Amino acid sequence: MVNNYLKNQKILYAAALAASIIFCIAMTSMGITKYYSVLQGGDNYNDFPTSGFSLIRLTINGSYLIATVTYIIWLIQKKQTSSNFLDICKYAIPFLAIALIAYPQSNDIYMYLHYGVMSLNKINTYLNTSDNFVSILSPFIHWFQTSTYGPVSLLFFSVSALAVPISPLVGVYFFKIICLCVHTLNAYLIWQLLKNSENRRLITMAYLLNPMLLNEQIVNAHIDVLLANTLIVLIGCIYYQRYVFAILAIWVGFLVKTLPIIWFPLVFAFLCKQRRWRDLAASVLLSLLIIAVITYTFLPTVSAWRSLLNPGTAGATARSFHHAINLFLNFWPNVSVETRESILSFLKYFAYLSWIVYYAGTLIKSLFRKKDSEINLVSDIGWTTLTLLLFATPWLMPWYPSILLPIAALSINSPHLVLTSFTFSLSPSIILGGGAGTTVISLVTSFVSVVPPTALLIFGRKKTLF
């Protein structure tokens, strides 16, 4: 019995490794080809012709899907064994190395480095759009707006941009190395926080080897890996009742990306409920100090602060219920552009309002809950974040739900949240590309992204009760 189990594990490992290598070769082949073509005066990176890459794209999607399926099978079959974090890393090293080598498909990395170069040249990226400054990275840029990433992100962009004069490729891989180190650190922090859990090894390894995290946070080097780090620190501070440091972690996360702003009311309400008046006062003073320093240095105007809200995606849809409805309206005959925009605008604000009502209900519930605890607070953070992304985010990129995985890994006694978050993190990335298009593939992509987690959200609670 044991021999059969070990044999199956070796087969799964070999299959996942082979699929990952094929994925890496295909990604790097396409990415480097596009890179040199654009650098030599070809089309903008985002507009690069893809007709000749259909086979490579099919290979990328197919190999990624195989790696994801083998990961899920491994996760279901994996037995608990005693081990240490170093042994887990040894098991994961081939996959981490492949993720590091694979060249990004996303061009966000070029935007990161371009903002970093702007910062090194003393140009405020929150007051000046990306096209106001010309660098070697300019041909790769298509988002001509001020930076939507906070000063903490900008720090990492600037450090990586120091390598750009050598070569943009060096800058890309320098930032990818940072992402790899932070992802490994995140897994280590989860390992430490789960020291009393019998599933410690399995959860840590599952996080470290998660295909979506490897693809989005290392291969494509999205800054959500930094956001995940601040969230893990936040949850650790909550569990160890270091509430002022928890507020500081939220602020650092906000200065990476704006999403953590929705966690402030939950934590402040919890402090009020627990009558932690000193922690509450210290947190308020700390917040005022941070706001003053950031306003004086990086964000001196209202428009600079507004830049963090990503105005470039206003009215845009991708991979969401909003996008699916948008495509239905496109396919529907005799629907004018004005009518379609009016319907989408109504749906967007209705979704926002519905989420705000849900959020307010969560706050009120937390204040009147008889037995409130840190576990409940982390669960509230998870559910409010999940519902915001799933129902009230018209522009849903496949890496956005990755922020749910640290919550899933560290949630205690919340299997429904864990299962829904895990599904939501994997489903948007099953089909790579085609998320914001107007084709049938984009419609399928939207449904694959949001329907499975929605079904689990609605019907999964009954399953987890038994």
Side-chain angles (χ1 to χ4, degrees), residues 176-352:
K176 279 171 65 71
I177 290 173
I178 293 176
C179 293
L180 174 64
C181 293
V182 175
H183 176 67
T184 306
L185 173 61
N186 291 345
Y188 177 73
L189 292 175
I190 289 173
W191 168 264
Q192 291 288 61
L193 291 172
L194 293 175
K195 60 184 179 181
N196 295 323
S197 172
E198 61 179 11
N199 296 318
R200 183 187 193 190
R201 182 179 185 272
L202 177 61
I203 294 173
T204 304
M205 187 177 292
Y207 187 90
L208 191 62
L209 292 175
N210 186 280
M212 191 274 291
L213 291 179
L214 293 178
N215 181 41
E216 300 295 356
Q217 295 189 359
I218 301 179
V219 175
N220 287 299
H222 286 115
I223 62 164
D224 299 69
V225 67
L226 303 176
L227 187 59
N229 179 262
T230 62
L231 177 56
I232 293 169
V233 172
L234 165 64
I235 295 174
C237 290
I238 290 173
Y239 283 154
Y240 283 95
Q241 300 182 349
R242 301 291 189 266
Y243 298 118
V244 177
F245 287 104
I247 294 296
L248 179 60
I250 296 178
W251 269 111
V252 174
F254 172 79
L255 297 176
V256 171
K257 205 171 181 178
T258 53
L259 176 66
I261 196 172
I262 69 171
W263 304 332
F264 276 115
L266 292 170
V267 178
F268 279 122
F270 181 83
L271 293 180
C272 291
K273 178 70 179 297
Q274 298 294 322
R275 300 181 182 275
R276 304 292 294 249
W277 306 121
R278 290 185 179 180
D279 289 334
L280 190 61
S283 299
V284 171
L285 291 175
L286 175 64
S287 298
L288 292 174
L289 177 62
I290 292 174
I291 291 173
V293 171
I294 295 302
T295 301
Y296 181 77
T297 53
F298 294 96
L299 306 171
T301 66
V302 174
S303 62
W305 280 94
R306 193 180 297 120
S307 175
L308 299 179
L309 299 178
N310 200 5
T313 60
T317 60
R319 291 181 176 271
S320 59
F321 282 114
H322 304 260
H323 190 60
I325 294 171
N326 187 13
L327 292 180
F328 270 124
L329 293 174
N330 277 335
F331 297 146
W332 201 271
N334 302 323
V335 177
S336 65
V337 175
E338 293 78 10
T339 301
R340 186 175 74 250
E341 290 180 351
S342 296
I343 294 174
L344 288 174
S345 178
F346 169 78
L347 290 173
K348 180 179 72 172
Y349 288 108
F350 177 77
Y352 287 156

Side-chain angles (χ1 to χ4, degrees), residues 114 118 123 127-134:
H114 184 71
M118 291 176 66
I123 298 174
L127 297 174
N128 297 274
T129 58
S130 57
D131 57 337
N132 283 344
F133 179 81
V134 178

Side-chain angles (χ1 to χ4, degrees), residues 93-105:
I93 280 176
F95 297 97
L96 296 174
I98 289 169
L100 178 64
I101 294 170
Y103 199 78
Q105 183 182 41

Side-chain angles (χ1 to χ4, degrees), residues 11-45:
I11 292 174
L12 288 172
Y13 190 88
L17 188 60
S20 299
I21 292 173
I22 294 172
F23 176 84
C24 175
I25 294 172
M27 285 281 288
T28 305
S29 174
M30 184 173 70
I32 295 295
T33 301
K34 291 169 67 175
Y35 169 82
Y36 279 109
S37 177
V38 173
L39 203 62
Q40 293 169 7
D43 296 280
N44 178 284
Y45 193 88

